[in-house]
Amino acid sequence: KLEGLKTIAVTTNGINLTRLLPRLKEAGLNAINISLDTLVPAKFEFIVRRKGTNLSFKATVLILAGTSCLLYLQVNCVVMRGFNEDEVLDFVDFTKDLPLDVRFIEYMPFDG
């Protein structure tokens, strides 16, 4: 409720989003960035180092289907050679008719 504040956003992999979304919406959340680097469940669990793929996809679908109060939804996908570059067209197909933006981000290793 700060004067001039127009956007409250969160970036998430979606694992806890289903549980937290009602409270976040009450707090004024109006933008979500979902970090989703793969649509393959086993790869997703490898990336986040924990079980929860179904919760993440469920949260994504919940946001898309039932949160008309959200002004903006974006999916961020870091493209990594040898890991998920073969999924770019799958992401396009998955999201082409959904009210969101997909941002493909180049993997930038910071190894010196």
Side-chain angles (χ1 to χ4, degrees):
K1 297 185 181 187
L2 296 174
E3 187 175 328
L5 185 64
K6 295 178 182 170
T7 302
I8 298 177
V10 65
T11 297
T12 176
N13 63 14
I15 289 179
N16 293 313
L17 193 56
T18 303
R19 180 174 52 84
L20 298 174
L21 189 58
R23 290 188 309 200
L24 292 169
K25 285 172 48 178
E26 286 176 19
L29 181 74
N30 57 10
I32 296 179
N33 293 312
I34 296 178
S35 298
L36 188 61
D37 298 332
T38 181
L39 298 172
V40 178
K43 288 182 185 178
F44 182 86
E45 290 181 0
F46 174 77
I47 291 170
V48 298
R49 296 186 177 114
R50 63 188 275 200
K51 300 288 182 185
T53 302
N54 291 336
L55 292 175
S56 179
F57 288 112
K58 183 179 176 184
T60 303
V61 171
L62 175 66
I63 292 165
L64 297 176
T67 56
S68 60
C69 72
L70 291 179
L71 300 176
Y72 182 71
L73 178 64
Q74 176 174 292
V75 173
N76 295 328
C77 177
V78 176
V79 180
M80 297 166 272
R81 180 178 295 142
F83 185 76
N84 67 347
E85 82 276 7
D86 60 331
E87 295 183 62
V88 171
L89 294 179
D90 294 333
F91 270 94
V92 172
D93 189 50
F94 173 65
T95 60
K96 68 182 176 187
D97 296 321
L98 298 176
L100 57 80
D101 291 324
V102 177
R103 181 169 61 172
F104 293 104
I105 303 168
E106 180 183 4
Y107 176 67
M108 302 290 287
F110 295 99
D111 58 0

